[in-house]
Amino acid sequence: MLTTLQTKSKFSSTPPIASDINEANALIVELWKQLRHYEDKLKTNSANSSKSPPSDGPKEQAERKKLKALMFAIR
C-alpha cells in the first residue's frame, strides 16, 4: 500500500546517474532549488504570512509533517 507521500513524489526509487560533470551540476542545482522550496514552505504559517490562524488546520499541519519527513530523508 502506497502512502500519499510516495504517490506524489517526483523522485524514482533509484537516484539518477549523471553521465558527466555538467549533468551532475545541473542535477545538484535542480535538487537545491527543490530543497529551498520545501524549506520555505515548511516555514510558512499564520504567524509569518497573511494566512489567518484557522488556515493552519489539521490538514496543513499533516502536510508540514510530511514535508519535514521528506526534508529529513533528503538530508
Side-chain angles (χ1 to χ4, degrees):
M1 185 167 157
L2 294 176
T3 64
T4 305
L5 184 60
Q6 290 172 329
T7 57
K8 290 185 178 182
S9 177
K10 296 183 202 176
F11 303 107
S12 63
S13 60
T14 58
I17 298 174
S19 59
D20 63 18
I21 192 72
N22 292 330
E23 192 175 316
N25 284 334
L27 180 61
I28 290 169
V29 168
E30 178 184 343
L31 292 173
W32 197 260
K33 286 179 184 178
Q34 289 178 4
L35 178 64
R36 295 283 82 76
H37 169 76
Y38 288 131
E39 285 182 338
D40 290 344
K41 192 169 182 178
L42 280 173
K43 294 175 188 175
T44 304
N45 60 33
S46 62
N48 62 11
S49 70
S50 61
K51 295 169 74 177
S52 63
S55 66
D56 288 342
K59 182 179 177 184
E60 287 76 15
Q61 292 172 359
E63 178 77 15
R64 255 187 246 115
K65 281 185 180 181
K66 288 178 188 177
L67 287 173
K68 284 181 184 179
L70 176 62
M71 295 297 297
F72 182 77
I74 290 173
R75 292 184 178 208

